[in-house]
Amino acid sequence: RVMPRPSGNSDVPFDDFAARTPCSPFSSNPVHCLRSKYFYKHDPPCVYHCLGKEFMLKENPEIGCYFRGTKGKPAEKTVVVT
């Protein structure tokens, strides 16, 4: 699935977009994920996104993680066209 890069502000709220997209600014940052687990002790913590391991991601709206991975159902591939 190819998604065009939005021009300007998008009408889609972040939580709606992040619920459909496993890789977010939070889950793609390993330092943020480590801080979430060990410093802030979030439950569940922000899990680092690895391609093919989307089922490991846990939803926690309090910390900006909206994607819930499900085992056996691969996430949609999203390609941003520049």
Side-chain angles (χ1 to χ4, degrees), residues 13-74:
F14 175 76
D15 54 346
D16 290 343
F17 179 77
R20 297 187 317 257
T21 309
C23 189
S24 74
F26 302 113
S27 66
S28 64
N29 183 343
V31 174
H32 177 80
C33 295
L34 289 170
R35 220 180 353 212
S36 172
K37 182 174 183 174
Y38 295 109
F39 185 77
Y40 294 113
K41 300 189 185 330
H42 292 137
D43 186 31
C46 183
V47 178
Y48 184 65
H49 172 256
C50 293
L51 189 61
K53 302 288 185 180
E54 288 85 3
F55 65 89
M56 297 178 68
L57 298 175
K58 308 280 189 242
E59 180 182 23
N60 187 348
E62 294 176 2
I63 62 172
C65 297
Y66 295 94
F67 185 83
R68 180 186 309 162
T70 55
K71 194 155 186 141
K73 181 182 173 195

